[in-house]
Each structure stands twice: as structure tokens, then as C-alpha cells.
Amino acid sequence: MPKWVLHGDPAFKNFLFNNAWGIVGLIDYEKIEYNCILWDLADQIRSYLKVDWFHKRELQLLLKAYQDIRLLTDNELDALPSYLTMMILNTCTQYLLGLFEKSDFSNNIGSRSDSLSKIERCFNEIEKVKLLF
């Protein structure tokens, strides 16, 4: 899979828009990294899994918008659900570790009940990925 310098946190909250909803910039570059291009796309899709209105149609619109800028290869399209699942499991693992260790990450996720709630959300997101693909 092709690699590139990635934003690392392409959540909706990090995009800057003009009055016509055109993207004019990005903020929050603390997670910038060199990684597989699909990682950022999977992360962006994941940020939408948390909302109830994101279903197959919205996923198709997001992928179309992405492909207007950069076409995905057949291999990338096939691998996308796996990358998305890996992204979710990676985050879930961090929440699990946060239950047992003190780190900067675990200090930012809140209480034990917050961690357990976020772990449960990860499992729900994996189920949603299965429905989307």
C-alpha cells in the first residue's frame, strides 16, 4: 500500500471551512506521521461512525469526494475495511491499556467507567463497519 505524510487526526473538527463549506485548511498537526495513505482515510471514516446518521450512502459520498482528489486502487478499496477495523482495534487497545497503566494517553481518557464506555463504543464501531462494507 502506498505511504505518504499523513495528518494523523483527520476528524471533522480539524477541518476549517469557508462560508460555502469549502475546506480552506486543517488544524491540529500533533499526530502527523509517515504511514499508509489508507490510515488517514480510515481514521476519517471512523470519526463518522460515532454519529447515527452515517450509513452506506454517506460512506459512498465520502469515498466519492475522496476519489475526486485521489483515486483509490482496487487493492486499496478491498483493504479499506481491514484498515478501518485495525484503526478501531488500535484505539480500543489504548483504552484497555489505559485501565491498567498510567500514561499521558490514560490520563486524557478519563475515569475507569469512561474507558469502559469507550471500549464498548469501539466494539459497536466494528459492528457498524461490517454493515457498511
Side-chain angles (χ1 to χ4, degrees):
M1 294 294 162
K3 292 185 175 187
W4 195 255
V5 176
L6 306 177
H7 180 267
D9 190 12
F12 188 75
K13 65 182 180 181
N14 292 328
F15 286 83
L16 300 175
F17 297 92
N18 62 20
N19 290 339
W21 286 100
I23 298 172
V24 295
L26 284 170
I27 58 172
D28 190 8
Y29 287 92
E30 69 185 37
K31 295 182 180 180
I32 199 166
E33 65 180 332
Y34 181 76
N35 202 339
C36 174
I37 292 173
L38 283 184
W39 198 251
D40 248 10
L41 178 58
D43 196 7
Q44 185 174 29
I45 293 169
R46 179 160 187 256
S47 71
Y48 289 105
L49 292 177
K50 300 170 188 165
V51 294
D52 292 335
W53 53 262
F54 190 76
H55 299 287
K56 260 190 181 187
R57 181 179 180 280
E58 288 76 21
L59 174 65
Q60 291 167 346
L61 289 171
L62 176 64
L63 290 176
K64 182 189 176 318
Y66 183 90
Q67 294 201 89
D68 285 346
I69 298 167
R70 180 190 168 273
L71 284 176
L72 293 167
T73 66
D74 289 341
N75 286 342
E76 289 174 313
L77 285 169
D78 289 342
L80 185 56
S82 296
Y83 270 83
L84 186 51
T85 302
M86 284 189 301
M87 167 78 55
I88 296 165
L89 290 173
N90 179 58
T91 303
C92 187
T93 301
Q94 291 178 46
Y95 293 142
L96 281 167
L97 291 174
L99 290 172
F100 303 105
E101 66 180 25
K102 289 293 180 198
S103 67
D104 288 339
F105 182 82
S106 64
N107 292 335
N108 290 328
I109 60 174
S111 68
R112 182 176 176 81
S113 63
D114 288 340
S115 295
L116 293 171
S117 174
K118 290 174 182 178
I119 291 166
E120 182 179 5
R121 186 183 72 211
C122 288
F123 287 111
N124 291 335
E125 289 172 5
I126 289 172
E127 290 304 313
K128 198 165 188 180
V129 170
K130 291 176 187 177
L131 295 174
L132 289 173
F133 292 94

